[in-house]
């Protein structure tokens, strides 16, 4: 019987080519978009889910109350690990993880490998299978390294790697290491990535800070014993915190706001492994907002919903042309269930065509989708039984919803009304109109959101940051020796286009090396706790970046005492309780010598516009990681290439290329740029699918009102009058959609903009333009068919069919 229904369905669809084409094209486009978006969400949610001990692994984060503001830090002091192992029950394994790009040499060639410095427990905690070697003893010795299969292939080609000696450049000199094991290549849904593992004790700063409780440099991870709860672990670990951080807690208590949810002024919490990828406090945070996967699902649902609405409206409207068939079947004894199955079979057949077309379209578009949105979806994801099951289940649900309701409506028609030519579907007009409103409401929301996100991106690009971004080049000093840095500075001063050279411990924005970070220090000043961002810089820092000095001066070689001097910003001056801090002295640690303030600079955005400007203290007592070069030239690209080539000539181990600071600052907003592309693509697709459905509905409505149009023309109605008459009902629905969508879009964008300390305003005209666009698009869509109907010969319209 089902085979018979499918044959009949195929014949009916061949007779209704316009109806079938609109539904297949609209549904296939929607299914393709929904598949891509849903797979993206699934991938983001399943990061790090392959670790067998995942439910018991946590990253520790520290939270401190700095006078009413809670600050979170992911770096822990080295002696904390030993204290936890010794004094906290329920801890099975523990490891630090420090990531670097390290030059590795075997023979005459050197390669950069993504390296993680870890403790011996690392491979016991995380599920990274060892293919060759002993997993339990692979990191037993300090001179051992573990390579992935890919890294081993790069270094050794086809030779056996285990037992071979390679050289690593970890502290400016080559050191020998023995390959102890080969691990499988890291899955692409792993937040923790490496090509080489070696012991954490090989970190160049390890010996200097291994017993220093105040030096917090690297993230710390623990694996709890099965059955140990996160709550009990955090309670026990904070007992250790109170014991070893007593001085810090006392300082924080002087300015802390009481009633902080009953918690201490400084405490540790754990982030579960499953949350690493989407938690901004985790070291392995991807930069994606937690809402991002949900946004993918919401957009997928909206797009599928719009296509399903088209399907429902067109199926019901098309029933007007099938009254004879319906009446005949009912008079011959067809049961409601049989009619439902017949009409649903047609819907199922259409959806199957749409699914096949959508899968082919997805395969074709996947590389472009990944490139445009920065995703990494691969077709291999369909090997996962959950993905396949979810896809099939979602398809049947869509088919049931899109085809089931029209089939039910047609099947329950009264046989007498049908035989009289009255289908009784007039009540469905209300639902049809409601569904059209929903379609265009979604389209208007997406258009409005796209416009506001675009405005915010423009605001970010044009907002004054307080320093020169367009003429300053940032050079990462990866694997550079002090002599390399000195030689580079000397070469730069010889270039005519170079006007000033300085340096910093931290980059501004996000450079091509992908590194970012900050250094926060706290101390007591006049019986109150002071917290400040701490930045090591070189001479001429303010001059090179065009920072505005409000009082005092910048660091200068002419003053030998500048080694103990600091320059602060306005926010730091406020924290110190003065307008002009020049001349003040204070200690930043009990065992440190006092520093004196020599300059006050105007506040500048050394972090993204998501954050407000924090207190900043600049010093000269730390190694530099970046050189900043101010240039004046008519060909900045040529100058950038010239400086990059000069640096590679001096430091053959240099890996990352120089970049202008305006490039760096733009990289901070990749997520916003991604949101903009997603909303824009979603809005365009939603409008196209909505217009396809509106056009098809207009075709059927015009056909139904053919005689009315003929009579009006005979009585003298003008073409423009008829077009307006036929279009106004649809335009009224679009206007209702605009009125409903405007407050919804305003709410969503208001909440989104709250994530920025500095943002654009939401203007009323944004929603006006979005609404006008929707009305114009709908009018053009309907008018195409209205004009055709109005121009038709009334004689043909009034003649019998």
């Amino acid at each position: 019987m089902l085979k018979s229904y499918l044959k009949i369905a195929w014949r009916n669809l061949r007779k209704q080519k316009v109806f079938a084409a609109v539904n297949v094209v609209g549904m296939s486009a929607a299914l393709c978009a929904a598949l891509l978006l849903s797979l993206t969400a699934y991938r983001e949610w399943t990061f790090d889910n392959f670790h067998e001990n995942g439910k018991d692994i946590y990253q520790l984060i520290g939270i401190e109350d700095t006078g009413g503001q809670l600050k979170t830090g992911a770096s822990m002091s080295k002696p904390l690990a030993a204290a936890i192992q010794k004094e906290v029950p329920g801890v099975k394994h523990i490891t630090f993880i420090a990531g670097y790009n390290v030059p590795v040499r075997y023979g005459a060639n050197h390669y950069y490998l993504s390296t993680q410095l870890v403790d011996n427990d690392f491979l016991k905690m995380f599920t990274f299978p060892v293919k060759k070697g002993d997993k339990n003893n692979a990191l037993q010795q300090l001179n051992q390294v573990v390579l992935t299969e890919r890294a081993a292939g790069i270094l050794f080609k086809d030779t056996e790697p285990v037992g071979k000696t390679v050289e690593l450049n970890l502290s400016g000199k080559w050191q020998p290491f023995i390959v102890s094991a080969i691990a499988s290549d890291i899955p692409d849904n792993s937040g923790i990535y490496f090509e080489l593992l070696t012991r954490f004790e090989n970190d160049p700063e390890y010996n200097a800070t291994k017993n220093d409780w105040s030096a917090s440099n690297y993230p710390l991870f623990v694996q709890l014993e099965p059955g140990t709860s996160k709550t009990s672990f955090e309670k026990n670990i904070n007992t250790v915190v109170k014991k070893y951080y007593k001085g810090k807690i006392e300082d924080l208590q002087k300015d802390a706001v009481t009633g902080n949810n009953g918690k201490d002024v400084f405490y540790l919490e754990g982030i579960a492994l499953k949350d690493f990828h989407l938690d901004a406090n985790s070291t392995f945070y991807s930069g994606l907002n937690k809402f991002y996967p949900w946004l993918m699902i919401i957009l997928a649902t909206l797009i599928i919903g719009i296509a399903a609405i088209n399907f429902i409206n067109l199926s019901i409207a098309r029933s007007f042309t099938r009254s004879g068939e319906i009446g005949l079947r009912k008079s011959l004894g067809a049961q409601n269930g049989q009619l439902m199955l017949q009409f649903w079979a047609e819907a199922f057949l259409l959806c199957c065509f749409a699914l096949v077309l959508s899968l082919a379209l997805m395969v074709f578009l996947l590389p472009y989708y990944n490139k445009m949105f920065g995703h990494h979806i691969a077709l291999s994801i369909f090997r996962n039984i959950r993905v396949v099951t979810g896809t099939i289940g979602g398809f049947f649900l869509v088919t049931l919803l899109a085809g089931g309701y029209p089939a039910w409506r047609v099947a329950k028609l009264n046989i007498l009304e049908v035989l009289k030519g009255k289908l009784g579907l007039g009540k469905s007009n209300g639902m049809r109109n409601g569904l059209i409103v929903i379609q265009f409401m979604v389209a208007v929301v997406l258009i409005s959101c796209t416009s506001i996100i675009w405005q915010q991106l423009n605001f970010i690009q044009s907002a004054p940051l307080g320093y020169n971004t367009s003429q300053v080049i940032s050079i990462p000093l990866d694997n550079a020796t002090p002599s390399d840095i000195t030689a580079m500075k000397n070469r730069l001063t010889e270039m005519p286009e170079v006007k000033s050279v300085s340096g910093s411990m931290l980059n501004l924005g996000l450079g091509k090396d992908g590194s970012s970070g900050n250094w926060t220090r706290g101390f007591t000043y006049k019986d109150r706790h002071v917290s400040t961002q701490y930045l090591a810089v070189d001479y001429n820092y303010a001059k090179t970046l065009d920072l505005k000095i409000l009082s005092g001066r910048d660091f200068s070689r002419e003053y030998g005492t500048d080694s103990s001097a600091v320059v602060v910003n306005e926010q730091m001056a406020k924290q110190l309780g003065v307008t002009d801090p020049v001349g003040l002295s204070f200690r930043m640690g009990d065992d440190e010598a006092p520093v004196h303030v020599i300059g006050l600079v105007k506040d500048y955005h050394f972090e993204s516009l998501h954050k407000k400007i924090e207190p900043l203290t600049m010093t000269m007592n730390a190694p530099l990681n970046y050189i900043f070069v101010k240039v004046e030239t008519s060909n900045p690209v040529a100058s950038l290439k010239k400086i990059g080539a000069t640096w590679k000539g001096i430091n053959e181990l240099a890996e990352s290329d120089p970049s202008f600071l305006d490039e760096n600052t733009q990289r901070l907003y990749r997520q916003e740029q991604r949101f903009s592309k997603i909303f824009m693509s979603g809005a365009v697709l939603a409008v196209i699918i909505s217009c396809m459905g509106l056009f098809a509905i207009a075709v059927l409505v015009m056909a139904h009102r053919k005689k009315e149009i003929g009579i009006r023309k005979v009585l003298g109605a003008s073409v423009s009058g008829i077009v307006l008459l036929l279009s106004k009902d649809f335009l009224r629905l679009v206007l209702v959609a605009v009125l409903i969508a405007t407050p919804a879009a305003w709410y969503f964008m208001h909440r989104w903009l709250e994530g920025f300390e500095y943002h654009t305003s939401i203007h009323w005209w944004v929603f006006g333009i979005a609404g006008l666009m929707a009305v114009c698009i709908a009018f053009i869509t309907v008018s195409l068919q209205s004009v055709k109907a109005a121009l038709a010969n009334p004689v043909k319209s009034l003649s019998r069919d």
Side-chain angles (χ1 to χ4, degrees):
M1 183 180 291
L2 181 60
K3 183 178 179 181
S4 173
Y5 285 149
L6 289 175
K7 283 184 177 180
I8 296 171
W10 173 248
R11 289 197 208 103
N12 287 327
L13 292 177
R14 289 181 63 186
K15 293 176 184 177
Q16 300 285 337
K17 293 183 177 63
V18 174
F19 161 79
V22 169
N23 269 335
V24 168
V25 172
M27 187 62 78
S28 60
L31 285 172
C32 176
L35 274 171
L36 289 171
L37 293 170
S38 300
L39 290 176
T40 300
Y42 179 80
R43 184 176 183 274
E44 302 300 336
W45 277 326
T46 56
F47 256 73
D48 300 308
N49 68 339
F50 57 89
H51 295 286
E52 296 173 1
N53 304 315
K55 62 183 178 62
D56 296 319
I57 296 176
Y58 298 89
Q59 178 183 352
L60 298 184
I61 59 168
I63 302 172
E64 59 183 67
D65 181 351
T66 59
Q69 181 181 2
L70 294 182
K71 289 192 174 182
T72 303
S75 297
M76 300 291 137
S77 57
K78 293 183 177 69
L80 178 63
I84 291 174
Q85 284 182 309
K86 183 179 179 180
E87 302 180 34
V88 177
V91 175
K92 186 174 183 179
H93 297 301
I94 191 165
T95 183
F96 279 100
I97 301 180
Y100 296 94
N101 262 8
V102 175
V104 181
R105 186 167 68 185
Y106 180 72
N109 299 320
H110 75 267
Y111 305 89
Y112 275 91
L113 296 182
S114 178
T115 300
Q116 299 288 0
L117 277 61
V118 299
D119 289 299
N120 189 34
D121 285 351
F122 179 83
L123 289 173
K124 301 171 186 175
M125 294 172 61
F126 300 98
T127 307
F128 295 112
V130 172
K131 291 293 189 71
K132 296 179 181 180
D134 183 359
K135 173 181 177 179
N136 295 322
N137 297 311
L139 294 171
Q140 194 71 32
Q141 305 299 323
L142 299 186
N143 66 339
Q144 291 177 319
V145 296
V146 175
L147 299 174
T148 61
E149 291 177 299
R150 176 183 176 277
I154 292 172
L155 290 171
F156 301 102
K157 307 304 184 223
D158 297 325
T159 60
E160 173 58 43
V162 176
K164 294 284 197 313
T165 298
V166 296
E167 293 179 287
L168 274 62
N169 193 310
L170 284 169
S171 55
K173 60 181 180 180
W174 294 101
Q175 303 173 52
F177 288 81
I178 298 172
V179 179
S180 60
I182 303 299
S184 299
D185 288 332
I186 310 304
D188 66 352
N189 65 336
S190 174
I192 302 173
Y193 179 80
F194 64 86
E195 294 171 306
L196 183 149
L197 296 175
T198 189
R199 284 289 290 271
F200 183 68
E201 290 85 346
N202 292 314
D203 177 54
E205 299 179 5
Y206 178 80
N207 290 326
T209 57
K210 64 181 180 181
N211 297 315
D212 188 351
W213 284 90
S214 64
S216 300
N217 303 105
Y218 300 109
L220 184 60
F221 303 80
V222 297
Q223 179 187 335
L224 305 182
E225 294 281 1
T228 302
S229 69
K230 178 174 178 281
T231 303
S232 64
F233 166 71
E234 289 177 345
K235 180 179 179 181
N236 290 327
I237 198 174
N238 282 304
T239 302
V240 173
V241 168
K242 291 175 182 178
K243 176 179 178 181
Y244 291 103
Y245 290 95
K246 185 176 180 180
K248 179 175 183 175
I249 291 172
E250 289 175 350
D251 286 342
L252 288 170
Q253 285 174 336
K254 295 174 182 177
D255 288 325
V257 175
T258 57
N260 177 28
N261 295 324
K263 293 192 175 182
D264 297 318
V265 292
F266 178 63
Y267 56 95
L268 300 183
E269 288 185 350
I271 301 175
L273 177 63
K274 64 181 179 62
D275 297 325
F276 283 8
H277 184 62
L278 296 173
D279 193 315
N281 294 318
S282 172
T283 301
F284 297 104
Y285 172 53
S286 63
L288 292 178
N289 190 292
K290 287 183 179 180
F291 181 66
Y292 187 79
W294 284 111
L295 176 65
M296 301 292 99
I297 297 299
I298 291 170
L299 279 175
T301 304
L302 291 177
I303 291 170
I304 282 288
I306 290 173
I309 286 172
N310 280 353
F311 209 108
I312 291 170
N313 280 340
L314 289 177
S315 297
I316 293 176
R318 196 171 67 96
S319 300
F320 285 110
T321 65
R322 301 180 66 178
S323 58
E325 175 193 347
I326 296 169
L328 181 62
R329 285 180 176 276
K330 277 187 169 278
S331 64
L332 293 176
Q335 301 297 314
N336 287 350
Q338 292 173 315
L339 283 172
M340 280 187 64
L341 190 59
Q342 169 63 48
F343 280 85
W344 181 79
E346 293 182 17
F348 178 76
L349 199 59
L350 274 177
C351 288
C352 283
F353 291 148
L355 179 64
V356 172
L357 186 59
S358 69
L359 289 173
L361 192 61
M362 187 192 73
V363 172
F364 174 74
L365 293 177
L366 190 57
Y368 303 98
Y369 174 80
N370 285 335
K371 184 178 180 180
M372 178 177 289
F373 298 118
H375 293 148
H376 302 280
I377 307 299
L379 292 176
S380 59
I381 196 170
F382 281 100
R383 297 173 185 169
N384 189 314
I385 188 63
R386 292 184 180 179
V387 173
V388 175
T389 303
T391 301
I392 294 173
F395 169 73
F396 275 101
L397 179 63
V398 170
T399 303
L400 188 62
L401 293 175
Y405 175 76
W408 173 75
R409 287 287 299 168
V410 170
K412 65 177 290 194
L413 293 174
N414 185 288
I415 185 172
L416 294 177
E417 295 293 321
V418 173
L419 292 173
K420 290 178 183 178
K422 300 177 182 179
L423 288 183
L425 291 169
K427 295 179 181 179
S428 297
N429 288 343
M431 183 172 185
R432 180 199 70 188
N433 293 343
L435 293 176
I436 291 175
V437 168
I438 292 173
Q439 280 186 314
F440 278 90
M441 184 180 73
V442 171
V444 172
V445 167
L446 292 176
I447 292 171
S448 302
C449 291
T450 299
S451 178
I452 294 171
I453 293 173
W454 178 77
Q455 287 183 57
Q456 177 62 12
L457 288 174
N458 279 349
F459 175 84
I460 289 169
Q461 292 170 352
S462 59
L465 301 179
Y467 62 92
N468 189 337
T469 61
S470 61
Q471 295 177 300
V472 180
I473 295 172
S474 168
I475 307 174
L477 301 178
D478 35 41
N479 302 295
T481 63
S483 61
D484 290 337
I485 298 173
T486 301
M488 184 59 182
K489 289 181 179 179
N490 292 336
R491 292 288 296 275
L492 288 170
T493 56
E494 297 171 359
M495 297 181 184
E497 63 267 38
V498 173
K499 299 303 176 184
S500 181
V501 178
S502 186
S504 172
M505 179 182 66
L506 298 174
N507 206 353
L508 284 165
L510 189 63
K512 291 183 179 178
D513 61 344
S515 177
S516 64
N518 56 48
W519 185 3
T520 302
R521 295 197 63 180
F523 59 93
T524 300
Y525 178 75
K526 292 186 177 180
D527 296 327
R528 66 174 181 273
H529 183 76
V530 173
S531 178
T532 177
Q533 295 281 349
Y534 197 62
L535 179 65
V537 301
D538 200 3
Y539 294 111
N540 297 321
Y541 186 76
K543 177 183 177 182
T544 303
L545 293 176
D546 290 339
L547 302 182
K548 186 175 182 181
I549 298 179
L550 302 176
S551 177
R553 60 178 176 82
D554 193 5
F555 297 106
S556 173
R557 291 183 175 85
E558 297 178 2
Y559 296 86
T561 57
D562 278 5
S563 59
S564 62
V566 294
V567 176
V568 301
N569 69 350
E570 293 174 284
Q571 294 299 319
M572 183 61 181
K574 288 181 182 178
Q575 231 189 159
L576 294 173
V578 296
T579 304
D580 185 356
V582 175
L584 290 181
S585 294
F586 50 82
R587 292 179 183 270
M588 301 192 73
D590 295 335
D591 300 328
E592 297 184 27
V595 297
H596 58 281
V597 181
I598 62 169
L600 172 68
V601 298
K602 186 175 179 61
D603 287 341
Y604 69 99
H605 294 276
F606 53 90
E607 294 184 292
S608 79
L609 294 178
H610 285 283
K611 303 177 182 178
K612 67 179 181 180
I613 299 175
E614 294 190 353
L616 176 66
T617 300
M618 290 178 275
T619 182
M620 294 187 64
N621 295 327
L624 303 179
N625 296 319
Y626 299 89
I627 289 178
F628 293 144
V629 186
K630 181 181 179 182
V631 297
E632 287 184 11
T633 175
S634 58
N635 193 341
V637 175
S639 297
L640 183 68
K641 291 181 179 178
K642 179 181 176 181
I643 290 172
T646 302
W647 177 233
K648 291 286 179 69
I650 292 173
N651 177 18
E652 64 174 8
L653 295 179
E655 179 191 17
S656 302
D657 294 326
S659 57
F660 279 97
L661 292 185
D662 55 359
E663 299 175 61
N664 294 0
T665 55
Q666 289 306 308
R667 289 191 189 96
L668 292 172
Y669 308 107
R670 289 176 296 187
Q671 179 168 283
E672 286 70 33
Q673 293 166 354
R674 186 181 293 182
F675 277 171
S676 178
K677 291 178 182 177
I678 288 171
F679 271 101
M680 186 176 296
S681 302
V684 170
L685 187 58
V687 169
I688 290 174
I689 295 175
S690 298
C691 288
M692 287 174 61
L694 192 62
F695 178 79
I697 288 290
V699 170
L700 293 170
V701 169
M702 303 311 166
H704 185 62
R705 301 178 67 177
K706 183 169 61 174
K707 287 185 171 60
E708 175 193 346
I709 295 169
I711 292 171
R712 288 182 180 276
K713 289 201 71 176
V714 169
L715 294 176
S718 65
V719 172
S720 60
I722 292 176
V723 170
L724 184 61
L725 175 71
L726 296 175
S727 303
K728 68 179 183 179
D729 290 338
F730 293 105
L731 296 181
R732 192 179 293 122
L733 297 177
V734 177
L735 286 173
V736 171
V738 171
L739 293 176
I740 297 173
T742 296
W746 179 90
Y747 174 78
F748 293 141
M749 286 295 95
H750 177 72
R751 292 293 303 271
W752 179 71
L753 288 174
E754 285 180 342
F756 293 85
E757 283 290 334
Y758 308 91
H759 56 77
T760 186
S761 300
I762 300 179
H763 303 286
W764 66 268
W765 52 262
V766 171
F767 306 106
I769 291 175
L772 184 61
M773 286 178 61
V775 170
C776 290
I777 292 170
F779 180 72
I780 293 171
T781 302
V782 175
S783 295
L784 292 174
Q785 188 60 31
S786 299
V787 170
K788 181 180 177 181
L791 292 174
N793 189 333
V795 175
K796 292 183 178 180
S797 301
L798 295 173
S799 63
R800 287 182 175 273
D801 295 331

